[in-house]
Amino acid sequence: MAVIAVFNQKGGVGKTTTAFNLAAALARDGLRPVAIDLDPQSHLTIAAGIRHVPGPDSVFGFFTADTSLQSLLRDTPSGVRLVPSSLGLSKVDALHGSDAAISRKLTRGIEEAGWTREPPVLIDCCPMLGVLTLNALLAAQQVLIPLSADFLSLQGVHRISAALDTLEARSGRRFPRRIVVSRYDARRKLSFRIYRDLQETYPGLVCETRIHECVSLAEAPLHGSDIFAYAPGSQGAADFKLLREELQAAGFFG
């Protein structure tokens, strides 16, 4: 099965919302996906209803004390199996930034856990292109780029694409990628223009499914819930169901 890095260097684009609810959509099909929170802000962990995780019990323990990823797994009500984050993760760059071998640590950890043979692994990346994100990208077979429907986000995706192209050249491997537009407001001409420009600039890489602006998507994390449990009849739930179906049909999940 696929390991998927969910990545964007810009905040507020729906990165964590996409990672969590796409994983929840897969869980609804009985796949029991693994989600790894690789962001020191711990938004994915919080969205799943888990609070105040001690550093050694989080993915920080994996990077600093060689704690196995398997032993860090926590079950969540959504059916997603989560490797939580903690604030201590922000120290990883300072502690290991000079260690060339550290960039492959997550790859080895996922392989040792046997997750390459299981349902999809989704990694909620740190928004900075440092040690943590490099680990996620090198471990991933696919990259999913959430992008909010605004002009600055459009400029940001060009930088992300250029960074991935550079990493491909240096690592000698490809990073297949898809772009999904989030916070889409069909009432705004700008939203459609951004979507159309993306399709023209990145033909074949932009998902047909758009994640519409939806109050329920913003409210669900307050309750430690995914969109399907919190508001199953909402536009957000319908959108993430369609996104899962589209990506699955395209072979994105292996």
Side-chain angles (χ1 to χ4, degrees):
M1 283 292 189
V3 178
I4 300 158
V6 184
F7 176 53
N8 195 314
Q9 290 171 285
K10 185 179 184 300
V13 297
K15 177 176 63 69
T16 297
T17 298
T18 299
F20 184 42
N21 288 296
L22 184 56
L26 291 165
R28 283 169 56 85
D29 288 339
L31 291 179
R32 299 188 72 238
V34 170
I36 301 175
D37 190 349
L38 216 58
D39 189 340
Q41 298 178 95
S42 304
H43 287 170
L44 179 60
T45 302
I46 294 168
I50 299 172
R51 305 284 197 276
H52 311 301
V53 180
D57 297 333
S58 76
V59 71
F60 177 68
F62 166 74
F63 278 101
T64 61
D66 290 326
T67 306
S68 71
L69 291 174
Q70 186 74 46
S71 68
L72 296 171
L73 268 184
R74 297 197 185 194
D75 291 327
T76 71
S78 67
V80 176
R81 295 177 293 163
L82 175 70
V83 178
S85 179
S86 67
L87 185 59
L89 199 60
S90 60
K91 302 175 184 177
V92 168
D93 267 286
L95 292 171
H96 299 287
S98 61
D99 180 3
I102 195 69
S103 63
R104 298 280 183 179
K105 186 173 179 63
L106 187 61
T107 301
R108 295 191 295 270
I110 289 173
E111 290 172 351
E112 289 168 3
W115 294 343
T116 54
R117 300 184 299 275
E118 291 198 22
V121 176
L122 285 86
I123 307 169
D124 187 23
C125 294
C126 174
M128 294 174 291
L129 193 54
V131 168
L132 295 173
T133 297
L134 186 58
N135 263 269
L137 293 175
L138 292 177
Q141 285 109 35
Q142 313 270 16
V143 181
L144 184 62
I145 305 171
L147 173 75
S148 58
D150 61 67
F151 177 72
L152 292 179
S153 290
L154 179 62
Q155 299 308 303
V157 80
H158 300 329
R159 291 193 295 272
I160 294 169
S161 186
L164 290 175
D165 289 344
T166 300
L167 191 56
E168 284 182 338
R170 290 180 178 177
S171 65
R173 52 159 293 190
R174 291 187 63 249
F175 293 95
R177 65 202 78 162
R178 295 294 293 271
I179 299 166
V180 56
V181 175
S182 66
R183 306 189 68 177
Y184 184 86
D185 188 342
R187 300 168 299 179
R188 299 171 60 213
K189 291 182 180 179
L190 178 61
S191 290
F192 179 74
R193 179 180 173 183
I194 296 295
Y195 180 69
R196 182 193 61 197
D197 288 351
L198 281 168
Q199 287 183 311
E200 292 174 354
T201 306
Y202 303 101
L205 299 184
V206 183
C207 294
E208 292 290 334
T209 303
R210 285 150 278 183
I211 309 300
H212 291 77
E213 193 77 72
C214 175
V215 173
S216 296
L217 282 172
E219 292 177 342
L222 297 174
H223 303 273
S225 177
D226 64 84
I227 190 62
F228 301 102
Y230 180 71
S234 67
Q235 179 69 59
D239 288 345
F240 274 104
K241 178 177 182 294
L242 288 172
L243 179 62
R244 190 271 302 161
E245 291 172 351
E246 178 180 347
L247 292 175
Q248 191 143 9
F252 201 74
F253 302 120

